[in-house]
Amino acid sequence: MHASQPEPTDQLTVEISRDLEDIVPIFLDNRKKDVQTLRNALSKQDLRTVQTLGHRMKGDGGGFGFDRITEIGAAMERAAQLEDHSTIEQHIVQLEDFLKRVTVVYR
């Protein structure tokens, strides 16, 4: 008998201003695309792209109400500057996990 691992069910709820309702889904879709772009860049050792995307997330995340994206972006930017490939990969996984679990509530 073998136990299967449970699916992560812990959703993260983020409250966002209703004024951003039209653009938040686009913002989140673009971050999902960034995950693949980051993976491709890392596999090619293109740390400039990783640093640029991290910097952009650091700047944009909080403006959309996603402080966690800002935190991940800042850490990813720093890891790229330090050429720390394993830390970059960890942050890509964190971003992907956040995007899978986040639920937006407009207020």
Side-chain angles (χ1 to χ4, degrees):
M1 188 180 216
H2 79 327
S4 62
Q5 292 198 335
E7 289 292 315
T9 56
D10 46 331
Q11 291 293 311
L12 301 168
T13 301
V14 177
E15 291 188 8
I16 305 289
S17 169
R18 189 162 297 287
D19 294 342
L20 299 176
E21 192 169 4
D22 290 340
I23 57 176
V24 164
I26 297 165
F27 173 78
L28 291 175
D29 283 344
N30 285 337
R31 299 303 66 79
K32 289 174 186 173
K33 291 174 187 171
D34 285 349
V35 168
Q36 190 57 51
T37 301
L38 287 161
R39 285 211 166 99
N40 290 339
L42 187 59
S43 73
K44 296 174 185 173
Q45 298 189 26
D46 177 4
L47 299 181
R48 184 72 187 143
T49 294
V50 174
Q51 184 177 343
T52 299
L53 287 175
H55 182 79
R56 191 176 305 146
M57 284 187 283
K58 178 178 77 173
D60 293 346
F64 283 89
F66 297 100
D67 293 336
R68 184 66 184 131
I69 291 177
T70 293
E71 294 166 5
I72 293 169
M76 194 175 302
E77 178 183 25
R78 184 73 182 134
Q81 291 167 340
L82 296 172
E83 300 182 11
D84 186 343
H85 295 248
S86 63
T87 298
I88 293 168
E89 178 60 36
Q90 290 172 6
H91 294 308
I92 293 170
V93 169
Q94 289 172 358
L95 176 62
E96 185 174 42
D97 178 65
F98 175 83
L99 293 170
K100 284 180 181 175
R101 296 189 308 134
V102 70
T103 300
V104 177
V105 175
Y106 297 98
R107 52 176 161 71

